[in-house]
Amino acid sequence: MTTIYDIAELSGYSITTVSKVLNDYPNVSQKAKKKVMQAVDELGYTPNSSARTLVTNKSWLIGVVFSENLGVGIAHPFFSEVIESFKKHVELYNFDLLFLSRNRGLEQETFNHLKHRGVDGVVVVQAFGDNMVNIDESPFPIVFIDLPVDRPSSVHSDNRHGSKLAVDHLVDLGHKKIAHIMGEQTVFAADERIKGFKKAMESHNLAIPETYMVSGGYFSYEGGREAMIKLLANQDKPTAVVVSGDMMAIGAMKVIEEAGLKVPDDISIIGFDDIAIAKHTNPPLTTIKQDKELIGRQAAIMLLDKMNGETKQYTKVVPVQLIKRGSCRAL
Amino acid sequence: MTTIYDIAELSGYSITTVSKVLNDYPNVSQKAKKKVMQAVDELGYTPNSSARTLVTNKSWLIGVVFSENLGVGIAHPFFSEVIESFKKHVELYNFDLLFLSRNRGLEQETFNHLKHRGVDGVVVVQAFGDNMVNIDESPFPIVFIDLPVDRPSSVHSDNRHGSKLAVDHLVDLGHKKIAHIMGEQTVFAADERIKGFKKAMESHNLAIPETYMVSGGYFSYEGGREAMIKLLANQDKPTAVVVSGDMMAIGAMKVIEEAGLKVPDDISIIGFDDIAIAKHTNPPLTTIKQDKELIGRQAAIMLLDKMNGETKQYTKVVPVQLIKRGSCRAL
DNA sequence: ACTCCTTAGGAAAGCGCTTTCCACTATAAT
DNA sequence: ATTATAGTGGAAAGCGCTTTCCTAAGGAGT
């Protein structure tokens, strides 16, 4: 491995001067710069980040804590897009991303590992917060995406408003018998959507039979199927259902079709997330779009700010949007 | 930050002994171990990985070089699953994953960055190899997934056989007029599939009109659409088309439907990849499944072996499988 | 009592860098 | 000529660890 010493020797300068050249210090002559850079090229020298981190105490590393319930990890249809957006923005500032092994959320072990790695900042993409560590005395700033509870320095969609948009749309179309396939209630976003749904229904003076609220669990296709089966068991079937996630919505549509009914003719379906597939289902899924790009970017901006010393804590709520496609029809 | 010195002081031992305890060296008494561990707990000490890496020359970091043509990065429907599988397997051995910023494939800049970070190994997930650096003198082992050319230490699907399975299936169903929507030919996998397709058609003595081979570009939905539009412009339309990727197949199906035709009644479609959505399209997509889990695992095993000093280079070809769903019918 | 092991623990060097502080030279100002 | 000033460059310390010796002490064997 070539080191700064090799460069010093070849260029005829001291390691101090080499280091100064490499770090754009002022007190170096053009001549020295030239000679040093020549040596660098000749030997194919690359500085050692560990050594640099050790003395500067800056790693240029951002830790990604990512845990989700579907069990698909990085391949998650929604979070992967958020992380990609986040990545695109922090890399403009030359940060690399570190994905920890054995990462099950921000627990003590994960937190220690992060400390061990000396990351400059952390983004937590996590929908639940069971064993979450106390972060008050964290040596690095942390930003949360889709956080479990209302907590400073987090960004998430306006989930309640999303539910309202969904219900309003359905009501506009003339629906009155509207059911809700919920996500697991311990998940922050699911809970918010439930609250938004109830409130919106209330604002339209629409009653919600108890059997119209069923859980689809952790937002999976299978969960959506099971929930829809329960919904279909109602004597008085809903004419529309607001589903808390697109994957569940796709599962629900499948069940409806298997029951010999049609979407949207017999039952209208509206999803949540607008994952990549949503526009390619048949019929294309009407849904509440979460702005994944913006969520990732906001999280990046927030973290970058904090790493620059900004201490103000705030929550960023990202707008959602109704995307009308083919899975809802007027009564 | 608490260091090994703080532990030494609190426990009453030297930093040497503390280090020995932390690294399970033999010559330490039970008493010393206990005292040291107590101090570690008390101070909440975490070793500094930069310092450790600097002296041991081992970073426990695996670099991920990932570049794809769709522009979706980590959210790529196929590669994300491969990477997730790879990740799951290397983390059993306590490696963390490093995603580099400004990573556009294994070019010189990326390579230097990898050297700078001192990674222990690298996995390259990349379908093209334009500016690829000379890796013969790499300081770390590298494994390729879906490599551009036949190169040692790589893993990829049996693409040719996949095409054969597709064609055979269609022929079994009675089809003779079979078209192919190709991927961009400079992409290794696309090229292999084209070759496999031609050979399979030949083995059945089936001619391929020139207009039956159209490129869908970089495997995108839009590319599939455009290709299918061209195919539909044929006087003598194909009764079936083998599509080189699922996203393109979905785009193609959409076009067929928009043209007032039906899949599979009028035209049978068979995809490639078996991405997560494939089973949820309407009709569900018959496709050639790539074993993403196995590809990721094989790459992990190969890299782990190399990091352990194994010098034998070999290519691992992962079997593919025909998944019959609803997008093909018998003539 | 003496030597010879074995075991436990520590001193010190060094991994590759940055950064502070000082020294030296050349030039400008007095 | 003398002093101040700017412009270059280097010595040395130190970031937090591991690892190679080396020493000291205790116990076994004769």
Side-chain angles (χ1 to χ4, degrees):
Chain A
M1 188 183 198
T2 68
T3 73
I4 209 172
Y5 286 90
D6 302 320
I7 304 298
E9 196 171 349
L10 182 58
S11 65
Y13 286 92
S14 72
I15 63 158
T16 303
T17 302
V18 173
S19 176
K20 284 179 179 169
V21 170
L22 261 26
N23 293 286
D24 275 328
Y25 270 60
N27 298 345
V28 195
S29 64
Q30 286 303 320
K31 186 177 153 206
K33 273 187 191 164
K34 201 178 142 198
K35 287 212 136 196
V36 165
M37 292 316 290
Q38 242 168 21
V40 165
D41 278 353
E42 195 171 329
L43 300 183
Y45 167 77
T46 325
N48 177 314
S49 73
S50 295
R52 187 174 279 178
T53 296
L54 186 56
V55 27
T56 59
N57 215 17
K58 167 120 187 165
S59 65
W60 293 98
L61 237 37
I62 290 181
V64 178
V65 172
F66 175 43
S67 79
E68 43 79 52
N69 300 298
L70 273 181
V72 295
I74 265 178
H76 193 285
F78 173 69
F79 288 133
S80 67
E81 290 194 48
V82 173
I83 292 178
E84 174 65 19
S85 165
F86 176 87
K87 177 167 180 288
K88 281 220 179 86
H89 285 90
V90 294
E91 59 184 34
L92 293 177
Y93 300 86
N94 296 323
F95 287 97
D96 292 330
L97 251 45
L98 186 69
F99 283 72
L100 302 191
S101 68
R102 293 171 309 169
N103 152 12
R104 303 184 231 313
L106 197 51
E107 304 176 3
Q108 191 62 52
E109 188 190 351
T110 306
F111 192 73
N112 285 344
H113 199 149
L114 252 6
K115 270 170 61 183
H116 167 242
R117 283 296 188 183
V119 296
D120 293 336
V122 168
V123 59
V124 176
V125 186
Q126 182 183 0
F128 55 92
D130 316 27
N131 301 308
M132 198 131 71
V133 88
N134 172 23
I135 60 160
D136 293 339
E137 44 197 44
S138 167
F140 39 73
I142 308 182
V143 159
F144 292 83
I145 293 178
D146 251 36
L147 79 179
V149 291
D150 229 6
R151 171 192 299 275
S153 291
S154 67
V155 12
H156 59 85
S157 284
D158 193 346
N159 290 298
R160 297 196 191 205
H161 189 61
S163 290
K164 176 174 163 48
L165 288 178
V167 170
D168 287 358
H169 178 51
L170 259 12
V171 170
D172 276 357
L173 293 176
H175 292 273
K176 296 206 181 322
K177 297 192 283 185
I178 304 173
H180 184 40
I181 294 184
M182 314 178 279
E184 166 64 33
Q185 246 191 87
T186 54
V187 175
F188 170 74
D191 192 43
E192 289 287 292
R193 290 169 198 173
I194 292 168
K195 286 178 177 144
F197 176 79
K198 285 182 177 164
K199 192 167 165 210
M201 290 292 280
E202 197 179 316
S203 76
H204 290 289
N205 290 315
L206 258 21
I208 314 172
E210 205 178 313
T211 53
Y212 272 27
M213 300 281 292
V214 328
S215 172
Y218 288 110
F219 297 87
S220 70
Y221 176 83
E222 274 306 325
R225 286 186 58 96
E226 285 165 25
M228 193 67 218
I229 288 171
K230 284 184 196 153
L231 241 28
L232 252 25
N234 275 292
Q235 280 292 10
D236 190 21
K237 292 188 183 51
T239 62
V241 13
V242 172
V243 187
S244 194
D246 283 350
M247 279 311 292
M248 293 195 299
I250 293 171
M253 290 205 292
K254 184 72 176 177
V255 165
I256 292 172
E257 186 198 317
E258 285 170 3
L261 300 171
K262 294 212 82 172
V263 177
D265 307 42
D266 299 301
I267 298 183
S268 288
I269 294 284
I270 183 164
F272 209 115
D273 289 348
D274 193 31
I275 58 180
I277 340 176
K279 62 163 74 81
H280 302 140
T281 57
N282 202 327
L285 186 62
T286 293
T287 192
I288 303 300
K289 172 181 174 177
Q290 293 202 65
D291 194 337
K292 300 147 217 83
E293 206 283 325
L294 186 53
I295 293 174
R297 176 149 43 105
Q298 284 292 357
I301 290 172
M302 202 181 269
L303 188 57
L304 257 4
D305 275 356
K306 286 183 128 191
M307 290 191 299
N308 276 331
E310 170 67 67
T311 57
K312 208 165 26 168
Q313 307 257 24
Y314 56 101
T315 295
K316 198 90 191 178
V317 177
V318 175
V320 293
Q321 190 187 351
L322 170 67
I323 305 288
K324 295 184 196 175
R325 286 198 272 250
S327 63
C328 296
R329 70 145 197 159
L331 271 194
Chain B
M1 189 185 199
T2 68
T3 72
I4 209 174
Y5 286 90
D6 302 319
I7 305 299
E9 196 172 349
L10 182 58
S11 65
Y13 286 93
S14 72
I15 62 158
T16 304
T17 302
V18 172
S19 177
K20 285 178 178 170
V21 169
L22 260 24
N23 293 285
D24 275 329
Y25 271 58
N27 298 343
V28 194
S29 66
Q30 286 304 319
K31 186 176 153 208
K33 273 188 192 163
K34 200 177 144 199
K35 286 211 138 197
V36 167
M37 291 316 291
Q38 242 167 21
V40 165
D41 279 353
E42 196 171 327
L43 300 183
Y45 166 77
T46 325
N48 177 315
S49 74
S50 294
R52 187 174 279 179
T53 297
L54 186 56
V55 25
T56 60
N57 215 16
K58 167 121 188 163
S59 65
W60 293 98
L61 235 38
I62 290 180
V64 179
V65 173
F66 175 43
S67 79
E68 44 78 52
N69 301 299
L70 273 180
V72 296
I74 266 178
H76 193 285
F78 173 68
F79 288 132
S80 67
E81 290 194 47
V82 173
I83 292 178
E84 174 65 19
S85 165
F86 176 87
K87 176 166 181 287
K88 281 219 177 87
H89 285 90
V90 295
E91 59 183 34
L92 294 177
Y93 299 87
N94 297 322
F95 287 97
D96 291 331
L97 252 46
L98 185 68
F99 283 72
L100 301 192
S101 67
R102 293 172 308 168
N103 153 14
R104 303 186 233 313
L106 197 51
E107 303 176 5
Q108 191 62 52
E109 188 189 351
T110 306
F111 192 73
N112 285 345
H113 199 147
L114 252 6
K115 270 170 64 184
H116 168 242
R117 284 295 188 185
V119 296
D120 293 335
V122 168
V123 60
V124 177
V125 186
Q126 181 182 3
F128 56 91
D130 316 29
N131 302 309
M132 199 130 73
V133 88
N134 172 24
I135 60 160
D136 292 340
E137 43 198 43
S138 167
F140 38 73
I142 308 182
V143 159
F144 292 84
I145 292 178
D146 250 36
L147 78 178
V149 290
D150 230 6
R151 171 192 299 275
S153 292
S154 69
V155 10
H156 59 85
S157 284
D158 193 345
N159 290 298
R160 298 197 191 205
H161 188 62
S163 290
K164 178 175 160 49
L165 287 178
V167 171
D168 286 359
H169 178 53
L170 258 13
V171 170
D172 277 357
L173 291 177
H175 291 273
K176 294 205 183 322
K177 298 193 282 183
I178 305 174
H180 184 40
I181 293 183
M182 314 178 280
E184 166 63 34
Q185 248 192 81
T186 54
V187 175
F188 170 74
D191 192 44
E192 290 286 293
R193 289 169 198 173
I194 292 169
K195 286 177 177 144
F197 176 78
K198 285 182 176 164
K199 193 168 163 207
M201 290 293 279
E202 196 179 318
S203 77
H204 290 290
N205 291 315
L206 258 21
I208 315 173
E210 206 177 311
T211 53
Y212 271 28
M213 300 281 292
V214 328
S215 172
Y218 288 111
F219 298 87
S220 70
Y221 175 83
E222 273 307 324
R225 286 188 58 96
E226 286 164 25
M228 194 66 217
I229 288 173
K230 286 184 195 155
L231 241 27
L232 252 24
N234 274 291
Q235 279 293 11
D236 190 21
K237 293 188 182 51
T239 62
V241 12
V242 173
V243 187
S244 195
D246 283 351
M247 278 312 292
M248 293 195 298
I250 293 171
M253 292 206 292
K254 186 71 176 179
V255 166
I256 293 173
E257 187 198 314
E258 287 170 2
L261 300 172
K262 293 213 82 172
V263 177
D265 307 41
D266 298 302
I267 298 183
S268 289
I269 293 284
I270 183 163
F272 209 115
D273 289 347
D274 193 30
I275 58 180
I277 341 173
K279 61 162 74 79
H280 302 140
T281 58
N282 200 328
L285 187 63
T286 292
T287 193
I288 303 300
K289 172 182 175 176
Q290 292 202 66
D291 194 336
K292 303 147 215 81
E293 206 282 324
L294 186 53
I295 293 174
R297 177 148 43 104
Q298 285 291 357
I301 291 172
M302 203 179 269
L303 188 57
L304 257 5
D305 276 356
K306 286 183 126 190
M307 291 191 297
N308 276 330
E310 170 68 67
T311 56
K312 209 165 25 166
Q313 307 258 24
Y314 56 99
T315 294
K316 199 88 190 179
V317 178
V318 175
V320 294
Q321 189 188 351
L322 170 68
I323 305 288
K324 296 184 196 173
R325 287 199 272 250
S327 63
C328 296
R329 69 144 196 160
L331 272 196

